[in-house]
Amino acid sequence: MYVEVLVETKVKSNDMTFTYYVPNIFDNDLIGKRVLVPFGKRIIEGFVINYTHKPEGYDVKSVLKVIDEERVLNDELIELGKFISDKYLCPLIYSYQVMLPKALKANAKVTSGAKKLTYVKLNEELNKAEIKVREQLAIINLLKENKEVLKSSIKSKASLKKLIEKNIVIEYTKEVYRLFDEEKDEKKIILTQAQKEVSLAIQKRFKTNKVILLHGVTGSGKTEVYIDIVKSVIKRGMTAIMLVPEISLTPQINARFKGIFKGAVAILHSALSDGERHDEFRRINRGEVKVVIGARSAIFAPLKNIGIIIIDEEHSESYKQENNPRYNTLDIAVKRSETHNCPVLLGSATPTIESYARAKKGYYELLKLDKRVNEKPLPKVMIVDMKGEIRKGNTIISGVLREEIIKTLAKNEQVMLLINRRGYANYLSCKNCGFTFKCPNCDITLTYHKTSGMMRCHYCGYATKKVNVCPSCKAEALREVGGGTEKIEEFIKNEFPSSKVLRMDADTTSKKGSHFKIINDFNSGDYNILVGTQMISKGLNFPNVTLVGVINGDSSLNVPNFRSSENTFNLLDQVTGRAGRHDKEGKAIIQTFNPEHYSIVCAAKHDYEGFFNREMFIRKRLNYPPYCFITLIKISSKDFNYGINEAKKINVYLRDNLSKTTSILGPSMASVLKVNNVYNFQIILKYKKDDKLYKELKNIIKLYEANNKVKIEIDFNPISL
Ligand code: ADP
Ligand code: ZN
């Protein structure tokens, strides 16, 4: 028997399959499995993607070993890989690699890791009539509804202790399977009329490959709608994928889904070890899982008979993969929905302009949830003009925000403060000569981190110790400019000495599990102020947060990107939506130097429609998506001159060969020219339709295939320019 094996070689060509002979000692069911093959002088791994016949005219080598017992790539994934490779012009092997968990090695070490947890349950033999204490009765009622409850989940510890002493409640421990040891949230929720209607409308589209956009304001209960839909998909014998931004894979969501779907759910979050991820992949592959929840890459979960694909917070940038293959999750979802004949459900309070435009044109079906579940109004948002505040000497927080923080703390409620930049000072600059510290590898200023006493590059990770003397003029005149989360944290601690402040940003969440810990600590009520970057804006649900303050509402506005207004609106609408999600009404304050900018004004009014109309007008005038498509050609080289020259040649080639209606902009320097000592240039293509595009882009890639002085990458529909 002969097989085609796909391997990764130095040459980044699309066609990296080679023919090998399969000795009889091996199993003859090899498609989708990995094998070890000799390749030149090396022995490498590859995927068997086809059977073939003995080639004419040359001898072939033999497969040395079959790595996998079970297929890792099923027929659908093999086809999907080809689709990705064609659509994003990337080598086929990359498509398969992006689909599979990292540790898909034949002998990945996985610990059994059984763990003991303490539970409590009612002692059925005893009469509980004599109990009169309210807290104790509440516990008894809880245990009547739930046969067993995790001991740690019961708040009133003293009452529980009494009940255990009286032998009314029994305490016991048991071993739990590692992957299901999280606390479960099994509360029963009855959908509101509005939620029911939306759910039914979606169920009507089962067995079609429609794309449905659910535009639901923050707190409108979209998650419960998803749960209802997934339940009914499972009831009909089908399976479901639900994608969320990585940041939303919080203990809150995990517990909710595990409480409902128990062992039938696989939650693929970044805190899983490679072994756990591999376990979950195999459970899915074997059909033991009905629901897969995860970030972007969960779209490749090898489920069979998919009944719905849900993409929550569909506007999130995390759905775009930023290295080869630079795929857009929605494209993959649509492709799989065609294969399985199932709908794709997009959900967001702030859909992307492109998605909303498609929904309005009727390409997508549009459904709405325009009220919060609790019938509470969306939080009242106040815009504060910081120009006036600076004159009054309030450089970091305005008078109003200070007052509101004091009031909120006095009521024993919680505050969230957004500052969309991590670190202490934005950067250090010399008062005397204006010198700033730049990364030696990248074209970017270093951010000052006070806790570690370091200046860091947020692009490549370069770090150096802070100094006190200006390296340029030798004056002792370095001052801190701008502020990040660390500075705000310090400032708030000084301003409100009685407050307990937590910080959530890339620096405090770098350790495994730390993200969850911060959320749990804040939820427990031991802290009353949470300072954070945009990490705090999405998916979190803290009942006691009644005030949200945005320290610098302009941070995402001053970015040279055609989506900067959209990103600003999204961020502000989402983060202000964190206030007042339960019984208490919420308030939010946005501090800005652009109090009249439409993205800020509309976000403050929670006016998505108004923002959309304004933004569409501007996109049309400037010819940006959705009025055209954009494709970016990235040209990078260690040699500045060589890079720019090749970029110019590509530009000339495209002008000669692409359709005349396509506009070709550039070549220009990328927004950050130098990253890690590599210079980046770009050519931007804007077009409505260009039949020659794929063919010509393929030609260019082929042309540079063997050139290792310059790297060419194509980014369709880039998230920033
Ligand atoms: P969204 O994702 O739309 O912002 P969530 O799904 O997080 O909103 O719901 C907001 C809050 O309302 C959550 O605490 C959720 O448990 C609660 N909730 C949702 N639907 C219901 C319902 N039908 N009855 C009671 N509470 C609900
Ligand atoms: Zn750097």
Side-chain angles (χ1 to χ4, degrees), residues 438-446 456-463 674-677:
K438 291 224 158 160
C439 174
N441 313 319
C442 309
D443 177 28
I444 205 107
T445 46
L446 298 175
R456 288 181 199 283
C457 169
H458 287 184
Y459 270 78
C460 73
Y462 170 86
K674 189 172 84 163
V675 176
N676 250 331
N677 292 316

PDB file of all heavy atoms in Angstrom, residues 438-446 456-463 674-677, ligand 2:
ATOM      1  N   LYS A 438      13.681  53.855  24.045  1.00  0.00           N
ATOM      2  CA  LYS A 438      13.071  53.016  23.010  1.00  0.00           C
ATOM      3  C   LYS A 438      13.599  51.599  23.111  1.00  0.00           C
ATOM      4  O   LYS A 438      14.728  51.377  23.549  1.00  0.00           O
ATOM      5  CB  LYS A 438      13.410  53.573  21.628  1.00  0.00           C
ATOM      6  CG  LYS A 438      12.727  54.892  21.341  1.00  0.00           C
ATOM      7  CD  LYS A 438      12.149  54.898  19.948  1.00  0.00           C
ATOM      8  CE  LYS A 438      11.057  55.935  19.868  1.00  0.00           C
ATOM      9  NZ  LYS A 438      10.726  56.381  18.566  1.00  0.00           N
ATOM     10  N   CYS A 439      12.776  50.656  22.644  1.00  0.00           N
ATOM     11  CA  CYS A 439      13.239  49.263  22.594  1.00  0.00           C
ATOM     12  C   CYS A 439      14.319  49.150  21.524  1.00  0.00           C
ATOM     13  O   CYS A 439      14.137  49.652  20.416  1.00  0.00           O
ATOM     14  CB  CYS A 439      12.069  48.343  22.258  1.00  0.00           C
ATOM     15  SG  CYS A 439      12.594  46.641  22.024  1.00  0.00           S
ATOM     16  N   PRO A 440      15.431  48.487  21.832  1.00  0.00           N
ATOM     17  CA  PRO A 440      16.476  48.348  20.818  1.00  0.00           C
ATOM     18  C   PRO A 440      16.063  47.431  19.657  1.00  0.00           C
ATOM     19  O   PRO A 440      16.637  47.516  18.576  1.00  0.00           O
ATOM     20  CB  PRO A 440      17.645  47.733  21.593  1.00  0.00           C
ATOM     21  CG  PRO A 440      17.039  47.106  22.796  1.00  0.00           C
ATOM     22  CD  PRO A 440      15.813  47.891  23.125  1.00  0.00           C
ATOM     23  N   ASN A 441      15.063  46.577  19.893  1.00  0.00           N
ATOM     24  CA  ASN A 441      14.646  45.644  18.834  1.00  0.00           C
ATOM     25  C   ASN A 441      13.435  46.138  18.058  1.00  0.00           C
ATOM     26  O   ASN A 441      13.169  45.676  16.961  1.00  0.00           O
ATOM     27  CB  ASN A 441      14.268  44.280  19.418  1.00  0.00           C
ATOM     28  CG  ASN A 441      15.290  43.776  20.396  1.00  0.00           C
ATOM     29  OD1 ASN A 441      16.486  43.912  20.153  1.00  0.00           O
ATOM     30  ND2 ASN A 441      14.826  43.235  21.497  1.00  0.00           N
ATOM     31  N   CYS A 442      12.658  47.019  18.697  1.00  0.00           N
ATOM     32  CA  CYS A 442      11.388  47.422  18.109  1.00  0.00           C
ATOM     33  C   CYS A 442      11.310  48.937  18.060  1.00  0.00           C
ATOM     34  O   CYS A 442      11.966  49.628  18.815  1.00  0.00           O
ATOM     35  CB  CYS A 442      10.209  46.888  18.914  1.00  0.00           C
ATOM     36  SG  CYS A 442      10.295  45.128  19.235  1.00  0.00           S
ATOM     37  N   ASP A 443      10.451  49.404  17.204  1.00  0.00           N
ATOM     38  CA  ASP A 443      10.294  50.825  17.015  1.00  0.00           C
ATOM     39  C   ASP A 443       9.212  51.329  17.969  1.00  0.00           C
ATOM     40  O   ASP A 443       8.168  51.794  17.546  1.00  0.00           O
ATOM     41  CB  ASP A 443       9.906  50.999  15.537  1.00  0.00           C
ATOM     42  CG  ASP A 443       9.644  52.427  15.185  1.00  0.00           C
ATOM     43  OD1 ASP A 443      10.230  53.296  15.841  1.00  0.00           O
ATOM     44  OD2 ASP A 443       8.842  52.663  14.275  1.00  0.00           O
ATOM     45  N   ILE A 444       9.453  51.211  19.282  1.00  0.00           N
ATOM     46  CA  ILE A 444       8.380  51.500  20.223  1.00  0.00           C
ATOM     47  C   ILE A 444       8.981  51.966  21.556  1.00  0.00           C
ATOM     48  O   ILE A 444      10.073  51.540  21.917  1.00  0.00           O
ATOM     49  CB  ILE A 444       7.511  50.211  20.383  1.00  0.00           C
ATOM     50  CG1 ILE A 444       6.102  50.538  20.825  1.00  0.00           C
ATOM     51  CG2 ILE A 444       8.132  49.196  21.302  1.00  0.00           C
ATOM     52  CD1 ILE A 444       5.134  50.348  19.725  1.00  0.00           C
ATOM     53  N   THR A 445       8.277  52.876  22.276  1.00  0.00           N
ATOM     54  CA  THR A 445       8.837  53.320  23.558  1.00  0.00           C
ATOM     55  C   THR A 445       8.589  52.261  24.631  1.00  0.00           C
ATOM     56  O   THR A 445       7.631  51.501  24.571  1.00  0.00           O
ATOM     57  CB  THR A 445       8.205  54.651  24.035  1.00  0.00           C
ATOM     58  OG1 THR A 445       6.808  54.543  23.880  1.00  0.00           O
ATOM     59  CG2 THR A 445       8.731  55.839  23.269  1.00  0.00           C
ATOM     60  N   LEU A 446       9.470  52.252  25.616  1.00  0.00           N
ATOM     61  CA  LEU A 446       9.361  51.272  26.697  1.00  0.00           C
ATOM     62  C   LEU A 446       8.377  51.764  27.756  1.00  0.00           C
ATOM     63  O   LEU A 446       8.329  52.949  28.067  1.00  0.00           O
ATOM     64  CB  LEU A 446      10.729  51.056  27.341  1.00  0.00           C
ATOM     65  CG  LEU A 446      11.807  50.496  26.412  1.00  0.00           C
ATOM     66  CD1 LEU A 446      13.152  50.439  27.133  1.00  0.00           C
ATOM     67  CD2 LEU A 446      11.419  49.113  25.897  1.00  0.00           C
ATOM     68  N   ARG A 456       9.738  48.029  30.064  1.00  0.00           N
ATOM     69  CA  ARG A 456       9.496  46.859  29.206  1.00  0.00           C
ATOM     70  C   ARG A 456       8.949  47.234  27.836  1.00  0.00           C
ATOM     71  O   ARG A 456       8.191  48.196  27.701  1.00  0.00           O
ATOM     72  CB  ARG A 456       8.429  45.958  29.838  1.00  0.00           C
ATOM     73  CG  ARG A 456       8.887  45.217  31.041  1.00  0.00           C
ATOM     74  CD  ARG A 456       7.758  44.345  31.579  1.00  0.00           C
ATOM     75  NE  ARG A 456       8.034  44.000  32.950  1.00  0.00           N
ATOM     76  CZ  ARG A 456       8.911  43.067  33.312  1.00  0.00           C
ATOM     77  NH1 ARG A 456       9.562  42.385  32.391  1.00  0.00           N
ATOM     78  NH2 ARG A 456       9.137  42.829  34.585  1.00  0.00           N
ATOM     79  N   CYS A 457       9.311  46.412  26.850  1.00  0.00           N
ATOM     80  CA  CYS A 457       8.715  46.537  25.521  1.00  0.00           C
ATOM     81  C   CYS A 457       7.515  45.598  25.469  1.00  0.00           C
ATOM     82  O   CYS A 457       7.654  44.409  25.705  1.00  0.00           O
ATOM     83  CB  CYS A 457       9.723  46.151  24.441  1.00  0.00           C
ATOM     84  SG  CYS A 457       8.964  45.976  22.818  1.00  0.00           S
ATOM     85  N   HIS A 458       6.335  46.147  25.173  1.00  0.00           N
ATOM     86  CA  HIS A 458       5.136  45.310  25.133  1.00  0.00           C
ATOM     87  C   HIS A 458       5.018  44.536  23.823  1.00  0.00           C
ATOM     88  O   HIS A 458       4.076  43.786  23.616  1.00  0.00           O
ATOM     89  CB  HIS A 458       3.890  46.151  25.388  1.00  0.00           C
ATOM     90  CG  HIS A 458       3.770  46.583  26.830  1.00  0.00           C
ATOM     91  ND1 HIS A 458       2.706  47.270  27.322  1.00  0.00           N
ATOM     92  CD2 HIS A 458       4.606  46.398  27.879  1.00  0.00           C
ATOM     93  CE1 HIS A 458       2.878  47.504  28.622  1.00  0.00           C
ATOM     94  NE2 HIS A 458       4.032  46.987  28.968  1.00  0.00           N
ATOM     95  N   TYR A 459       5.989  44.736  22.913  1.00  0.00           N
ATOM     96  CA  TYR A 459       5.968  43.969  21.661  1.00  0.00           C
ATOM     97  C   TYR A 459       6.810  42.719  21.747  1.00  0.00           C
ATOM     98  O   TYR A 459       6.381  41.651  21.377  1.00  0.00           O
ATOM     99  CB  TYR A 459       6.449  44.836  20.490  1.00  0.00           C
ATOM    100  CG  TYR A 459       5.326  45.574  19.839  1.00  0.00           C
ATOM    101  CD1 TYR A 459       4.801  46.714  20.437  1.00  0.00           C
ATOM    102  CD2 TYR A 459       4.769  45.121  18.657  1.00  0.00           C
ATOM    103  CE1 TYR A 459       3.747  47.387  19.861  1.00  0.00           C
ATOM    104  CE2 TYR A 459       3.715  45.793  18.065  1.00  0.00           C
ATOM    105  CZ  TYR A 459       3.212  46.924  18.671  1.00  0.00           C
ATOM    106  OH  TYR A 459       2.165  47.574  18.101  1.00  0.00           O
ATOM    107  N   CYS A 460       8.069  42.874  22.215  1.00  0.00           N
ATOM    108  CA  CYS A 460       8.968  41.714  22.163  1.00  0.00           C
ATOM    109  C   CYS A 460       9.359  41.225  23.549  1.00  0.00           C
ATOM    110  O   CYS A 460      10.035  40.218  23.681  1.00  0.00           O
ATOM    111  CB  CYS A 460      10.225  42.053  21.361  1.00  0.00           C
ATOM    112  SG  CYS A 460      11.340  43.156  22.244  1.00  0.00           S
ATOM    113  N   GLY A 461       8.942  41.958  24.594  1.00  0.00           N
ATOM    114  CA  GLY A 461       9.268  41.500  25.934  1.00  0.00           C
ATOM    115  C   GLY A 461      10.610  41.987  26.456  1.00  0.00           C
ATOM    116  O   GLY A 461      10.974  41.709  27.598  1.00  0.00           O
ATOM    117  N   TYR A 462      11.347  42.736  25.652  1.00  0.00           N
ATOM    118  CA  TYR A 462      12.631  43.279  26.104  1.00  0.00           C
ATOM    119  C   TYR A 462      12.422  44.063  27.403  1.00  0.00           C
ATOM    120  O   TYR A 462      11.431  44.782  27.554  1.00  0.00           O
ATOM    121  CB  TYR A 462      13.202  44.205  25.015  1.00  0.00           C
ATOM    122  CG  TYR A 462      14.396  45.018  25.465  1.00  0.00           C
ATOM    123  CD1 TYR A 462      15.687  44.498  25.397  1.00  0.00           C
ATOM    124  CD2 TYR A 462      14.225  46.307  25.975  1.00  0.00           C
ATOM    125  CE1 TYR A 462      16.775  45.233  25.828  1.00  0.00           C
ATOM    126  CE2 TYR A 462      15.310  47.055  26.410  1.00  0.00           C
ATOM    127  CZ  TYR A 462      16.588  46.512  26.332  1.00  0.00           C
ATOM    128  OH  TYR A 462      17.662  47.240  26.761  1.00  0.00           O
ATOM    129  N   ALA A 463      13.334  43.911  28.372  1.00  0.00           N
ATOM    130  CA  ALA A 463      13.206  44.634  29.632  1.00  0.00           C
ATOM    131  C   ALA A 463      14.561  45.132  30.092  1.00  0.00           C
ATOM    132  O   ALA A 463      15.582  44.463  29.898  1.00  0.00           O
ATOM    133  CB  ALA A 463      12.598  43.724  30.689  1.00  0.00           C
ATOM    134  N   LYS A 674       9.513  48.530  13.113  1.00  0.00           N
ATOM    135  CA  LYS A 674      10.501  47.509  13.460  1.00  0.00           C
ATOM    136  C   LYS A 674      10.022  46.708  14.669  1.00  0.00           C
ATOM    137  O   LYS A 674       9.724  47.285  15.713  1.00  0.00           O
ATOM    138  CB  LYS A 674      11.835  48.192  13.789  1.00  0.00           C
ATOM    139  CG  LYS A 674      12.991  47.204  13.943  1.00  0.00           C
ATOM    140  CD  LYS A 674      14.339  47.898  14.073  1.00  0.00           C
ATOM    141  CE  LYS A 674      14.611  48.313  15.488  1.00  0.00           C
ATOM    142  NZ  LYS A 674      16.007  48.627  15.786  1.00  0.00           N
ATOM    143  N   VAL A 675       9.897  45.427  14.537  1.00  0.00           N
ATOM    144  CA  VAL A 675       9.569  44.559  15.660  1.00  0.00           C
ATOM    145  C   VAL A 675      10.597  43.436  15.700  1.00  0.00           C
ATOM    146  O   VAL A 675      10.795  42.748  14.698  1.00  0.00           O
ATOM    147  CB  VAL A 675       8.151  43.955  15.535  1.00  0.00           C
ATOM    148  CG1 VAL A 675       7.880  42.978  16.674  1.00  0.00           C
ATOM    149  CG2 VAL A 675       7.099  45.049  15.530  1.00  0.00           C
ATOM    150  N   ASN A 676      11.244  43.261  16.851  1.00  0.00           N
ATOM    151  CA  ASN A 676      12.239  42.200  16.976  1.00  0.00           C
ATOM    152  C   ASN A 676      13.291  42.237  15.878  1.00  0.00           C
ATOM    153  O   ASN A 676      13.664  41.215  15.319  1.00  0.00           O
ATOM    154  CB  ASN A 676      11.531  40.845  16.949  1.00  0.00           C
ATOM    155  CG  ASN A 676      11.586  40.192  18.300  1.00  0.00           C
ATOM    156  OD1 ASN A 676      12.530  40.435  19.064  1.00  0.00           O
ATOM    157  ND2 ASN A 676      10.602  39.381  18.600  1.00  0.00           N
ATOM    158  N   ASN A 677      13.727  43.446  15.550  1.00  0.00           N
ATOM    159  CA  ASN A 677      14.766  43.651  14.536  1.00  0.00           C
ATOM    160  C   ASN A 677      14.361  43.287  13.119  1.00  0.00           C
ATOM    161  O   ASN A 677      15.208  43.143  12.251  1.00  0.00           O
ATOM    162  CB  ASN A 677      16.047  42.900  14.899  1.00  0.00           C
ATOM    163  CG  ASN A 677      16.693  43.511  16.120  1.00  0.00           C
ATOM    164  OD1 ASN A 677      16.778  44.737  16.220  1.00  0.00           O
ATOM    165  ND2 ASN A 677      17.094  42.678  17.059  1.00  0.00           N
TER     166      ASN A 677
HETATM  167 ZN    ZN B   2      10.730  45.285  21.607  1.00  0.00          ZN
END
